[in-house]
Amino acid sequence: SQKKQNMKKTIVALALTLTGANLFGQDLTSKKGEAYLPEAGDWGLGIDATPFLQYGGNFFGKTSTNSAPTFNFLGGYQTITGKYFVDASKAYRGALRIGIGSNTDRNMVTDRTTTLSAANFPSVDPMKENTWKHSTTNIGLSGGMEFRKGKTRLQGYYGGEAAIFFGSSKDVFTYGNALNTGTTNPVGVTSADSFLGANNIQSVPSQGSIGSGRVLERKNGSSFSFGLRGFVGVEYFIWPKISLGGEFGWGLGITSLGKSTTTIESIGNKGGTNNDEIGTTTVTGSKGGVFSLDTDNSNSFCGPSGSIRLNFHF
């Protein structure tokens, strides 16, 4: 299969890289006098090595569609991962993400409060604007100590670290056509107010509602995660201050998921009368949580582990 072929190419690329590096022997300085191993005061930056290994494998496999490699984060939590070396055998390590963003989508819709007439041709129908503002917050932070062992370019390391991660998102919708229950040009909830992918037109879980409602505000449940882990890994310095390596980890992970709240407006009957009214209701979601005490994986916000990484030291 294609997946197996890609894996074979990755292994071949890694083997060729390490074999080529071995031609220089196990001297800890290059022919130019550059130190292979990190020293006191050096900084380190780690990225996902997979795109580079795949590129090398495809290059030697003469794949015509070989794409240039890119810098990728080490895990799905998109934290920048780095180290600071106190000395050759000890380093502080940490990861950081501070993400705050928002985007606004706008749709122009027909003014449904105006009576349209063919006599107005060729004038353009009057329009109003709907807006959808989506905002997100993602904050991640980890810190720990790493202890290193080895007298050659093959280095082992171990240590421990702790991490926290917070995430939340919110949607706010405004509609140019206000709901109207009048007999002249009434304005109800229709698919014309829908935003693609927003799910802002939905059923209303209340008695007496007529049809669907439209979302005014949606606060998705925030998440808070805490992790504490030990790790062990290995890396080989293929060039001065540049290494390939990976690690495994084991520890505690706790995630708390908060309640979501969705405010919806709709048209319905109150008290069993035949008079339509405009009403607003708030729907609250349930809380959730995750607890684990286990080995972690490449999606660990505290790690990650189980993936080949490319490390730069400077």
Side-chain angles (χ1 to χ4, degrees):
S1 65
Q2 184 64 38
K3 185 176 181 181
K4 290 183 178 179
Q5 291 178 353
N6 290 337
M7 180 62 69
K8 290 180 180 178
K9 291 177 181 178
T10 298
I11 294 173
V12 169
L14 179 58
L16 289 172
T17 300
L18 295 179
T19 301
N22 280 326
L23 295 177
F24 295 97
Q26 285 298 313
D27 292 335
L28 298 183
T29 57
S30 68
K31 293 182 179 180
K32 296 181 179 180
E34 301 169 311
Y36 274 90
L37 305 183
E39 305 166 299
D42 282 357
W43 294 84
L45 177 68
I47 63 172
D48 183 11
T50 302
F52 296 88
L53 296 176
Q54 288 182 338
Y55 177 79
N58 292 336
F59 179 82
F60 287 106
K62 299 181 180 180
T63 302
S64 60
T65 58
N66 199 12
S67 300
T70 59
F71 266 42
N72 287 350
F73 292 100
L74 283 173
Y77 284 85
Q78 299 181 21
T79 54
I80 300 173
T81 304
K83 303 177 185 179
Y84 175 76
F85 285 81
V86 179
D87 54 47
S89 61
K90 184 170 63 176
Y92 295 107
R93 57 188 277 167
L96 176 67
R97 178 184 180 185
I98 300 177
I100 301 173
S102 67
N103 63 278
T104 301
D105 192 4
R106 293 178 171 86
N107 282 346
M108 299 303 296
V109 296
T110 302
D111 183 355
R112 303 204 296 272
T113 65
T114 302
T115 301
L116 303 179
S117 173
N120 295 327
F121 177 82
S123 297
V124 177
D125 294 338
M127 307 292 286
K128 289 189 174 182
E129 184 180 79
N130 290 349
T131 63
W132 168 26
K133 183 177 181 180
H134 178 71
S135 57
T136 58
T137 299
N138 292 287
I139 298 175
L141 176 66
S142 75
M145 289 292 299
E146 176 181 298
F147 302 93
R148 305 178 68 82
K149 182 176 177 59
K151 297 181 180 180
T152 67
R153 284 152 59 180
L154 178 63
Q155 297 276 297
Y157 63 88
Y158 62 93
E161 62 186 342
I164 58 173
F165 192 91
F166 172 80
S168 67
S169 64
K170 178 181 178 181
D171 298 294
V172 177
F173 301 90
T174 58
Y175 304 95
N177 291 294
L179 296 183
N180 179 10
T181 60
T183 56
T184 302
N185 296 328
V187 176
V189 178
T190 72
S191 59
D193 291 325
S194 176
F195 283 89
L196 181 64
N199 190 31
N200 63 306
I201 305 298
Q202 54 187 246
S203 60
V204 182
S206 62
Q207 297 180 358
S209 64
I210 299 177
S212 301
R214 59 188 188 184
V215 177
L216 299 177
E217 182 181 83
R218 180 190 297 120
K219 295 180 180 179
N220 300 303
S222 59
S223 65
F224 178 81
S225 300
F226 170 78
L228 186 66
R229 76 191 283 262
F231 57 84
V232 60
V234 63
E235 59 181 324
Y236 186 86
F237 285 82
I238 53 179
W239 294 294
K241 304 295 180 75
I242 300 176
S243 67
L244 281 173
E247 69 182 50
F248 289 111
W250 176 88
L252 171 70
I254 300 174
T255 299
S256 174
L257 303 175
K259 293 181 179 180
S260 64
T261 58
T262 304
T263 302
I264 305 172
E265 66 174 354
S266 60
I267 295 176
N269 296 321
K270 186 175 182 179
T273 67
N274 292 324
N275 298 320
D276 292 340
E277 297 184 23
I278 300 171
T280 302
T281 185
T282 299
V283 181
T284 303
S286 60
K287 292 183 177 181
V290 178
F291 171 84
S292 65
L293 184 64
D294 203 348
T295 52
D296 50 31
N297 57 33
S298 58
N299 289 324
S300 168
F301 68 93
C302 197
S305 69
S307 61
I308 299 176
R309 60 185 66 188
L310 180 61
N311 304 296
F312 301 92
H313 304 87
F314 44 90

